[in-house]
Amino acid sequence: MCSCNQEGVRCAEMAMVCLTDFEEYAKEHLSKATWDYYAAGADECCTRDDNLLAFKRIRLRPRILRDVSASDTRTTVLGTEISFPVGIAPTAFHCLAWHEGEVATARATESLDTCYITSTYSTCSVEEIVAAAPNGYRWFQLYVYRDRKLSEQLVHRVEALGYKALVLTVDVPYTGKRRNDIRNQFRLPPHLKVKNFEGMFQQETRVAEEYGIPANTLDPSISWKDVYWLQSISRLPVIIKGILTKEDAELAVEHGVQGIIVSNHGGRQLDGGPASIDALTEIVDTVQGRIEIYLDGGIRTGSDVLKALALGAKCVFIGRPAVWGLAYKGEEGVREVLQILNDEFRLSMALSGCRSVAEINRNLIQCSKL
């Protein structure tokens, strides 16, 4: 993205002012199949789009004359302090957007001192990610497979590497229907692999693949008993990602997990489900502070972060915007995306009369507009 004078002599890079700028850059510069993969929602994309629209329906009730000359965006997740309440959600195949892939993402997140949830479907291995950002704060996102040994081996690897929590994704007993991926016959290019599974499958050229691994590897029989199984093989805290109802939130608490990520998988699974932010309130009210509640889906501005925290989220996680940052400038691009959100969040806090994260509460939300 550049602007040139009339003679075309000089080309100055345009400032990236907001996350939408990164989105536009990524759409212009990524291949169609790659862009469609990242952008995809399930079926008609109603839930994907509503993740964004739902935040716009929420209005704030700012307080004034509160002396906001100093502000503090720090918070904690699972007892660990991070610089501000925005982390990186688990998103697959970062090497499609930038040659260094998840290694660049890990370095950027480490430099901003926040949390990076590494995806099982990374195009860099968990070992490479730790080597690139040894001081980073990381959780690991996990699926349960028909062959439990696959999941178990991954758990033991990340625990030995110093990952601090397991994020069990529970909304994918089957993969949602993403129409453009089907039209594009999406496959990873030959030079890329799901690195965490290297050498773990018997490779047969005729075996159908689904997003980089053999089809039908995910286990649709996954149930609450698998939470107990996961707790039996690891001492790491378990966070469940993909809860959208108060009933399942209560079951999560009863099964001894340490956190919930309120998430609809970026609208990529069940189309017609609620926007993540619309599901948050009933879950927070049900959990009543017994475990931590986080959220992903639809975060695009600092005021979005503020709204999610006001409704009870402890921290939010961004998926697609991190990939847009990678597509722009790799590690530097991800840093810029996070820094813009940090700056916008700090400004939104101050303009709402909040000096610290602890002062953010539901009184900031104009309830009649929900």
Side-chain angles (χ1 to χ4, degrees):
M1 298 178 68
C2 63
S3 57
C4 302
N5 62 15
Q6 288 183 341
E7 292 78 22
V9 173
R10 183 170 56 87
C11 186
E13 195 172 89
M14 284 177 59
M16 304 298 270
V17 176
C18 60
L19 269 57
T20 304
D21 291 341
F22 293 88
E23 180 180 19
E24 291 173 354
Y25 181 95
K27 187 172 185 178
E28 183 179 340
H29 289 82
L30 293 173
S31 72
K32 181 182 185 302
T34 295
W35 170 259
D36 284 349
Y37 166 73
Y38 288 135
D43 298 313
E44 295 181 304
C45 299
C46 297
T47 297
R48 180 200 67 180
D49 296 345
D50 201 37
N51 274 346
L52 302 176
L53 295 171
F55 275 100
K56 300 182 190 303
R57 293 193 291 264
I58 298 170
R59 293 292 179 264
L60 295 165
R61 299 177 64 250
R63 300 296 305 278
I64 59 170
L65 300 176
R66 303 267 290 178
D67 183 6
V68 289
S69 55
S71 61
D72 186 355
T73 63
R74 291 174 299 172
T75 191
T76 62
V77 288
L78 297 184
T80 295
E81 184 177 280
I82 55 177
S83 63
F84 73 123
V86 179
I88 303 292
T91 46
F93 308 155
H94 286 194
C95 283
L96 284 175
W98 184 259
H99 65 280
E100 288 186 305
E102 291 83 5
V103 161
T105 308
R107 288 178 181 145
T109 315
E110 179 187 60
S111 70
L112 269 292
D113 190 23
T114 190
C115 180
Y116 171 31
I117 307 178
T118 301
S119 171
T120 287
Y121 286 76
S122 295
T123 38
C124 300
S125 70
V126 287
E127 290 81 8
E128 290 169 331
I129 290 165
V130 169
N135 298 313
Y137 179 62
R138 280 174 294 271
W139 299 346
F140 181 74
Q141 176 269 329
L142 181 76
Y143 291 102
V144 172
Y145 297 100
R146 293 175 189 269
D147 181 356
R148 291 292 191 274
K149 290 181 181 178
L150 292 173
S151 300
E152 189 168 347
Q153 288 173 21
L154 285 170
V155 168
H156 291 156
R157 280 168 67 186
V158 300
E159 190 164 13
L161 286 165
Y163 283 74
K164 299 303 183 185
L166 299 172
V167 177
L168 177 64
T169 296
V170 294
D171 55 3
V172 192
Y174 300 96
T175 304
K177 184 178 180 181
R178 302 157 197 172
R179 295 175 182 178
N180 280 341
D181 285 351
I182 298 169
R183 293 185 180 110
N184 296 331
Q185 297 184 324
F186 175 83
R187 292 176 68 91
L188 276 180
H191 69 284
L192 296 181
K193 296 285 185 287
V194 183
K195 291 291 287 290
N196 291 322
F197 288 119
E198 271 194 316
M200 294 175 75
F201 294 109
Q202 296 294 328
Q203 293 301 321
E204 298 180 24
T205 55
R206 295 182 183 178
V207 171
E209 283 194 2
E210 186 175 57
Y211 296 110
I213 66 170
N216 300 315
T217 303
L218 290 168
D219 191 349
S221 76
I222 183 173
S223 68
W224 286 104
K225 71 179 187 298
D226 291 302
V227 175
Y228 288 141
W229 169 76
L230 195 56
Q231 292 164 336
S232 76
I233 65 170
S234 173
R235 296 181 178 179
L236 291 176
V238 175
I239 296 162
I240 291 188
K241 177 180 182 292
I243 284 181
L244 292 168
T245 65
K246 62 184 180 182
E247 294 88 350
D248 284 337
E250 183 60 43
L251 284 168
V253 173
E254 291 174 5
H255 282 77
V257 306
Q258 278 73 41
I260 289 169
I261 302 180
V262 179
S263 171
N264 55 35
H265 215 102
R268 295 163 74 83
Q269 281 301 108
L270 174 67
D271 200 26
S276 296
I277 192 68
D278 285 342
L280 178 61
T281 302
E282 73 171 65
I283 292 171
V284 169
D285 290 347
T286 295
V287 169
Q288 290 287 309
R290 290 175 288 172
I291 59 175
E292 293 186 350
I293 308 297
Y294 318 109
L295 177 137
D296 70 23
I299 299 291
R300 297 294 183 269
T301 68
S303 66
D304 291 342
V305 181
L306 181 64
K307 290 170 183 177
L309 265 63
L311 289 171
K314 182 75 168 171
C315 180
V316 302
F317 293 90
I318 58 169
R320 293 182 180 95
V323 174
W324 304 336
L326 277 177
Y328 176 59
K329 276 188 182 177
E331 176 186 344
E332 183 181 340
V334 180
R335 271 205 314 269
E336 285 190 42
V337 165
L338 287 169
Q339 190 62 58
I340 285 171
L341 277 177
N342 194 350
D343 293 343
E344 289 180 351
F345 174 59
R346 187 184 297 273
L347 180 59
S348 295
M349 279 177 57
L351 295 178
S352 297
C354 298
R355 293 157 292 198
S356 70
V357 170
E359 292 185 350
I360 300 171
N361 59 56
R362 203 173 291 184
N363 290 331
L364 275 179
I365 300 298
Q366 189 173 334
C367 293
S368 62
K369 294 294 182 182
L370 282 180

